Amino acid sequence: MSTIYAQDITDALRYSQDNIQGTARFRALSGAFGALGGDMSAVSLNPAGSAVFSSSHASFTLSTSETTNDTQYFNGSGSTNDSNFDINQGGAAFVFASRDDSPWRKFTLGIAYEKTNDFDNNWFAFGTNTNNQSIDLYFLNYADGLRLDEISALDGESLTDAYAGIGNAYGFAHQQAFLGFESFILEPDDINNDANTTYSSNLANGDFNHDYTYTSTGYNGKITFNMAAQYEENLYLGLNLNSHFIDYQRKTLLFEDNTNAGSIINDIEFENTLSTTGNGFSFQLGGILKLSPEFRVGLTYDSPIWYTIEEETTQYLATVRDDAGTNVTQVVNPQIVNIYPQYKLQTPAKVTGSLAYVFGKQGLISFDYSRKDYSSTKFKPENDYTNVNNNISNMLTDASTYRLGGEYKHKQFSFRGGYRFEESPYKNGITVGDLTGYSFGVGYNFGNTKLDVTYDQSNRTNETQLYNVGLTDAALVDRTNSNLTLSLSFNI
């Protein structure tokens, strides 16, 4: 039901960004593997990397993740801490050596699964909003200009049937206005006129106490089919065909109360849930060139990801109003799952250049630079999403990512470390801030099998609006993500 849902920039950005995941060795170098290869997650970064393997190879990775969110909202502050355990990566590359005098020395075929982003997140914001900003503005914005008979229940019609019928007939915006009217938040200027299109609020101006909770789960993942080859001694070329999938669930809950003189509505509870699933396709082209036995360069092109996405939502609203000195609770709980039409999302392409210097068998140092233009993200069909696509173009920008990693080997041990810096995708640099991260790890080579352990941490500060319409005041969320990763790899 419902013809159009309110997709926005945050949805576009959520599925356009990725994060450092993958094997422990890959994470220990902060993902600076574009010119190195020889690792299954390096293959996910640069498809030519599988041709660096001298024999068939497989790896499997487990990780624990801990996320701490420190929030600030007006005079209130809070902190949450959550952890989870997951399978980050698994895959294998099969090496086929040439048996003749062909300059193509070997070919590789590979398949791998990798989690590209983790959506598990939980934070809360509470405080007293002194900007005269209430959730009533959310419903007023949606109701403005809509006819009263298009946002209200008919005589004898249940709220459930009315909510469903309005969604089918008119869409998301009308449903939000319906919630505001039927909960008594909105007051029509002429309640006896079905053609009324102007509304006021039953909440008086003043301060509003807010208690807002955000909870999300899910992840982005991809399955990669890899083909690569080595030409002569120094050139490696590869292609990845990627199947992507989205599994994302979100719940937001707002409690608002006020003691403002003249307010008819004193308490509001507003809950929204979102369930998103999707699948997509992308490809990658990459190459690695040995300029000397020590010095290597890499280049990778990541195509856009072309997603097809489906969404479902539910809503709940309850208010407490003063009715002639008596508190009356009004509950609008449609118990309806809104199922929205599929839509398309095209994420931005990415180009990565890489340099690496290998000190024989003693170690290496590696550097990757990537650039992605987030302003090119597009919802499709474009005619249906003109406004949001214009907002994306105006508010987002191209962003660079820098990754630096090093490794030192001593007997069977390998000691590793890395650093990364990712620029904000927003032109203002504030809505989503810059990301900084570091990593260190150790590995042990048993001969045919390797065991690697890595710890990495990243930090980013965001200014997150509670709602994209009406109540647009933002909570400052300082997020720190820490991971402990264990990988087992072996030659087949």
Side-chain angles (χ1 to χ4, degrees), residues 21-33:
Q21 302 287 337
T23 67
R25 186 178 180 223
F26 183 82
R27 297 179 78 144
L29 272 68
S30 289
F33 254 95

Side-chain angles (χ1 to χ4, degrees), residues 335-357:
Q335 297 182 318
I336 290 290
V337 177
N338 295 311
I339 302 174
Y340 298 97
Q342 289 183 349
Y343 65 91
K344 308 288 186 181
L345 177 67
Q346 179 181 313
T347 71
K350 181 175 71 173
V351 176
T352 302
S354 310
L355 303 172
Y357 193 88

Side-chain angles (χ1 to χ4, degrees), residues 94-341:
F94 302 93
V95 178
F96 305 93
S98 298
R99 298 182 180 274
D100 51 30
D101 295 330
S102 170
W104 296 97
R105 300 303 172 87
K106 61 176 178 276
F107 297 89
T108 61
L109 294 175
I111 184 171
Y113 158 79
E114 189 154 297
K115 184 168 70 171
T116 58
N117 209 344
D118 188 351
F119 297 137
D120 288 358
N121 197 18
N122 178 27
W123 57 270
F124 68 92
F126 73 94
T128 302
N129 189 309
T130 56
N131 286 344
N132 192 32
Q133 295 284 301
S134 162
I135 191 61
D136 68 341
L137 296 174
Y138 174 90
F139 301 106
L140 281 168
N141 272 266
Y142 278 115
D144 185 37
L146 301 184
R147 287 175 56 100
L148 178 59
D149 58 358
E150 295 176 353
I151 65 168
S152 56
L154 302 174
D155 290 341
E157 186 180 29
S158 70
L159 295 181
T160 295
D161 290 342
Y163 180 86
I166 288 170
N168 280 321
Y170 305 113
F172 176 80
H174 283 70
Q175 284 181 322
Q176 307 318 293
F178 167 83
L179 292 174
F181 172 72
E182 295 293 348
S183 64
F184 294 91
I185 293 174
L186 301 183
E187 188 68 33
D189 287 0
D190 185 356
I191 196 169
N192 297 312
N193 181 7
D194 284 345
N196 177 86
T197 59
T198 56
Y199 305 85
S200 58
S201 172
N202 279 321
L203 285 79
N205 293 338
D207 296 341
F208 297 90
N209 299 315
H210 289 149
D211 187 348
Y212 178 90
T213 304
Y214 176 105
T215 304
S216 65
T217 60
Y219 63 99
N220 263 14
K222 71 175 180 179
I223 296 175
T224 296
F225 300 91
N226 169 260
M227 297 169 282
Q230 178 183 346
Y231 184 80
E232 298 290 357
E233 296 296 329
N234 300 323
L235 181 62
Y236 306 87
L237 300 171
L239 167 68
N240 283 346
L241 302 177
N242 304 308
S243 176
H244 299 260
F245 46 91
I246 296 170
D247 181 14
Y248 174 71
Q249 293 83 38
R250 182 184 70 211
K251 176 181 176 181
T252 63
L253 177 62
L254 174 72
F255 291 98
E256 176 183 293
D257 66 81
N258 75 88
T259 56
N260 301 330
S263 271
I264 296 175
I265 300 292
N266 302 117
D267 296 276
I268 299 173
E269 179 184 356
F270 187 35
E271 179 183 281
N272 289 269
T273 69
L274 169 68
S275 177
T276 303
T277 57
N279 57 78
F281 170 79
S282 73
F283 67 88
Q284 296 165 281
L285 297 171
I288 298 174
L289 177 64
K290 289 184 178 179
L291 298 178
S292 70
E294 299 81 18
F295 191 54
R296 305 177 184 184
V297 297
L299 182 65
T300 308
Y301 170 77
D302 288 56
S303 77
I305 304 173
W306 294 279
Y307 278 118
T308 299
I309 298 175
E310 297 178 340
E311 293 182 330
E312 298 178 1
T313 66
T314 64
Q315 295 187 290
Y316 172 92
L317 180 63
T319 61
V320 177
R321 71 182 187 276
D322 183 356
D323 187 359
T326 301
N327 286 335
V328 178
T329 300
Q330 176 73 9
V331 176
V332 185
N333 183 17
Q335 297 182 318
I336 290 290
V337 177
N338 295 311
I339 302 174
Y340 298 97

